[in-house]
Amino acid sequence: MKSRTASGAMGGILGFVSMSAVAGVLVTASVVPVVALSSSGADSVVSIFDNLPENMQFGQLAQASTLYAKQGEDYIPFATFFDQDRIEVGAEQIPQAAKDAAIAVEDPRFFEHGGVDMISMSRALVTNALGVGKVSGASTITMQVVKNILVQRAEGETDEEVRAAAYKDATRNDADRKLKEMKLAIGLEKNYSKDEILQQYLNIALFGRRVYGIEAAAQYYYGIPAAQLSLEQSATLISIVNNPENLRIDREENLPQSTERRNNVLAAMLTNEKITQEEYDAAVATPIVPNLHPRTSGCMAAGGLAFFCDYVTRVIKNDPKFGNSQDERIFNFSRGGLDVYTTIDLELQGAAEQSVQSRIPATMPGIDLGATAVTTDNQTGNILAMTQNRPFNDIEELPDHTAINYNTDRLYGGSSGFQSGSTYKAFTLAEWIKQGYSLNEVVNVSPREVNMARYKNRCMPGGVAGGGKFKFDNATNTRGNRTVLNATEQSINGGYMSMAERLDICDITELAQSMGVHRAAPFPNRGESLDLENNLSSIFSGTDEVAPMTMALAYGGFAAEGKVCQPNSIERIVDSSGKEKDFTRGTCSQAIDPPVAAGVAYALESGVHNGLSRAARSSLGTPHLAKTGTTDDYVDNWLVGSSTKVSTAVWVGNVSGKVDTRNFRGVENAKNLIWPDIMNVADRKYGGEAFPQPTSSSRTRTAVTIPDTVGKTYEEAAALLTPLGFTVADGGETDSNQPQGRVAGTTPAAGTSAPENSTVTILRSNAMLTEIPTLYNRWDRSSQELRNAGFTTPPNARCDVEGGTLPQNENERTLVSSEPAQGQLARKDSQITFIVSCQ
């Protein structure tokens, strides 16, 4: 260090004289005098000192926030979040050895001064002024508390620029800052007892790394609470405070200098008669042996609960009750010392984790494979279990890990969702029952091509589903007429297409939305009230990508008499002072009327006993409702269902891409194994009653036979149907051989029965069908007969034997038959094929 000149030393002495005036002020105030360096004159210094604030409160220290999950009647911590790893404790939880060590080495006259130690300050002033020896600050424990409080306040600022400026002001190395610390220390001593100040010092101090306070230090460095620290351990931890980075004992290279500093602390304790010579000798002879127990901040340490952990943090991040912006909310959470008691049930969670991970691997060659299971409470929306097949990792990208939560929406860390398949049929069924139709009504279930203009959709231009044709198939070759109940049990698309003819597709979509169904990733830049696809396919195959949690909550509505809840992941929050903290809770609402819910529950429970959802039967006999769902090529596989208490949604399929899961052993059927693994545990724990019985009208109504109106005018047909109690609807034109505008048929068809007060759709002929006429052996004569019958397209020719040679001269061709055959109906603009005799 550069030595001082005579003039420099004289300037320092004059500074000492100036600061003596401040000392006089403090003496007058009945406080031990203060000495510090300043370039100001005595009058100026006194003026500055008089104008400084003196009132200071401890305030709230930054503390870790902890998430808890329920296990029986207890709550178990599973994740911790902190900017500063601190556990604030009371004076009785701090060993006397730690208190004595801090006072002995940092402030031996702590109990004698009023916040500023005149003897130490005077010695420091003379030493610094004359440039003799090491520069000294002579800060008392109280002054160190003041500085740390100012630093804590600076670091607690949410605005980055304000935080940086405040931190710089709290740590600048000049006389003005020292004066401020002195004045505030005096004020602190007026407001708090010595024991309280010492307790605050040991809670606020940095002990290296991000470890703050004696309790967190004891747990990190030794794996024990502070109350169990030995003399040697107490002295070691107190020694770290002097230079936290270079004296922290979790680095082997620090141990020699840490040991030296520890021994200095012990020597100070001996000098101040806080320990005996024997205690000193034993302690200095003890090597420093840390037993590190690092506490990890964030969800990576939450194991199988990591995805739920991530979801909870995003709930807090999106809750305005935690701050004005997302950054501010997370900042407050990581410093607020909150105990967050979540809704997760560790018993159910364990069952879900074990089942999903044992049945679906994290990766599988040839497919981007995913699997999820989420369980919710029907009455509250509480999330009881949430898991998936891949481990959580938000630090690095690994092929068998992910940070994406497949269970929930993109806003809460989820994916863009998965098509819901036939699980969406439940909402079409709900609208069917809502409109007064019954489960025992008979509908056409055959796969077929339909005219889109026959399907009402008031949310679309023209009020119909669209123009042109729509062709669909069933998963199995089911044909004919079945009841709506059977079409639901067997998930027959054709039956639901027939049901939709009597409904408005927009009403189905709005009902689904009222039950909380929404896209996991909303349509971008779509300024419409509907956030779901609103098309013909959606009524039976769920074309929207939704999150599994959305489906669990919606099906909970069918089981809870129409009451649907928003998701809840938090039961309650307690702040560091033990007070309850407010947060935004999900609410429940009556989405559909109880009789409608009861009708759907009846049909979905019947599907468990008599249909495709047999895997959802309870091993305990608890009533379950459930519905399976698959999308094209089994890309997505669902099983969603519920007891009266809880609901579970299981999805297995492609995270990305479109790969047929049937090509991978065990994948397609996994949903049927995972769902009962979870729900059997839920049934044992939560029970479940019988679902409410639907009204008789939901199951059956008086049926009336529909008369034959083919060939009549629209008005004549309506006059026949209306007196029978039917409501008449115009289904537009359809292919028929009836004269233009005459009735071609009805839906439901003539001769079938339909409930009174139901709607019968009248279809009018476009006169585009005609019979294939009688054909002759000769090509030219048969062609002429086609033209005479009204067919506009010349016929094709095909040999009657495979590999035969077709005569090039049409006059040499001998007809055997035709396709379609003579007498059958065909469109006048369709292609007719003549079958020709060939050698």
Side-chain angles (χ1 to χ4, degrees), residues 624-705:
H624 286 169
L625 61 82
K627 183 74 185 71
T628 59
T630 55
T631 56
D632 291 346
D633 296 324
Y634 292 77
V635 168
D636 302 285
N637 303 273
W638 293 81
L639 182 55
V640 186
S642 182
S643 67
T644 56
K645 300 297 185 181
V646 300
S647 298
T648 294
V650 174
W651 167 86
V652 180
N654 293 249
V655 175
S656 62
K658 301 289 183 181
V659 178
D660 192 328
T661 58
R662 291 172 295 184
N663 297 328
F664 300 87
R665 185 177 179 181
V667 172
E668 176 205 345
N669 191 52
K671 67 181 186 297
N672 295 327
L673 302 173
I674 296 169
W675 196 92
D677 283 346
I678 300 169
M679 285 300 292
N680 286 334
V681 175
D683 292 343
R684 185 179 69 251
K685 186 164 188 177
Y686 295 96
E689 295 81 38
F691 297 107
Q693 285 296 302
T695 60
S696 58
S697 62
S698 296
R699 285 184 283 180
T700 183
R701 290 189 292 173
T702 303
V704 179
T705 301

Side-chain angles (χ1 to χ4, degrees), residues 314-592:
R314 292 174 187 272
V315 167
I316 292 171
K317 187 176 181 179
N318 290 315
D319 188 347
K321 292 188 177 180
F322 285 85
N324 295 322
S325 68
Q326 290 189 340
D327 289 343
E328 181 179 341
R329 293 161 198 160
I330 289 298
F331 183 84
N332 291 337
F333 172 62
S334 63
R335 298 174 61 87
L338 304 178
D339 287 331
V340 181
Y341 297 94
T342 72
T343 59
I344 214 73
D345 181 323
L346 287 176
E347 187 177 0
L348 270 183
Q349 178 70 19
E353 287 178 22
Q354 195 281 329
S355 184
V356 170
Q357 292 166 13
S358 65
R359 304 195 187 280
I360 297 294
T363 59
M364 183 176 285
I367 183 173
D368 188 8
L369 183 62
T372 72
V374 58
T375 300
T376 56
D377 184 289
N378 296 342
Q379 297 299 322
T380 61
N382 286 354
I383 303 168
L384 303 176
M386 177 185 286
T387 191
Q388 63 192 60
N389 64 314
R390 295 182 185 177
F392 179 83
N393 194 321
D394 62 353
I395 296 177
E396 57 182 328
E397 291 187 13
L398 298 173
D400 59 342
H401 290 64
T402 184
I404 299 173
N405 187 346
Y406 305 146
N407 284 286
T408 190
D409 297 341
R410 180 171 288 176
L411 179 63
Y412 292 93
S415 69
S416 58
F418 313 101
Q419 289 189 353
S420 57
S422 290
T423 60
Y424 195 88
K425 282 187 172 79
F427 308 110
T428 301
L429 180 62
E431 182 61 26
W432 171 265
I433 295 172
K434 180 181 177 182
Q435 294 302 324
Y437 299 110
S438 80
L439 297 173
N440 286 336
E441 293 184 30
V442 176
V443 293
N444 178 12
V445 301
S446 300
R448 57 196 183 273
E449 187 177 71
V450 298
N451 185 350
M452 294 178 67
R454 286 164 48 186
Y455 291 81
K456 296 187 290 293
N457 190 336
R458 58 181 172 79
C459 295
M460 296 289 284
V464 295
K469 303 294 183 180
F470 179 80
K471 187 175 182 179
F472 66 91
D473 291 312
N474 293 327
T476 58
N477 191 27
T478 307
R479 296 179 176 274
N481 296 322
R482 302 280 185 93
T483 64
V484 169
L485 180 61
N486 184 259
T488 302
E489 293 168 343
Q490 304 302 322
S491 196
I492 306 173
N493 296 341
Y496 273 76
M497 285 298 294
S498 296
M499 293 160 62
E501 286 187 73
R502 307 191 210 175
L503 306 174
D504 191 304
I505 296 172
C506 189
D507 290 338
I508 299 170
T509 305
E510 289 184 344
L511 183 144
Q513 288 192 165
S514 74
M515 298 193 73
V517 181
H518 58 276
R519 292 177 61 83
F523 288 113
N525 305 318
R526 183 168 176 175
E528 301 179 18
S529 61
L530 294 180
D531 184 44
L532 295 174
E533 295 282 4
N534 190 39
N535 52 42
L536 274 179
S537 295
S538 67
I539 63 176
F540 63 80
S541 63
T543 54
D544 282 286
E545 290 84 8
V546 298
M549 187 164 67
T550 295
M551 297 304 292
L553 292 164
Y555 268 59
F558 296 130
E561 301 186 61
K563 183 178 77 172
V564 176
C565 297
Q566 297 171 329
N568 275 309
S569 59
I570 300 172
E571 286 273 16
R572 67 190 186 101
I573 301 177
V574 179
D575 67 20
S576 59
S577 65
K579 296 180 180 179
E580 297 277 338
K581 177 174 174 55
D582 191 23
F583 61 95
T584 302
R585 300 175 186 270
T587 59
C588 301
S589 61
Q590 194 69 34
I592 55 176

Side-chain angles (χ1 to χ4, degrees), residues 82-86 206 208-212 295 297:
F82 53 80
D83 284 343
Q84 298 180 358
D85 184 6
R86 174 187 283 109
L206 173 62
R209 204 167 176 253
R210 284 196 292 170
V211 179
Y212 288 79
R295 192 160 62 146
S297 178

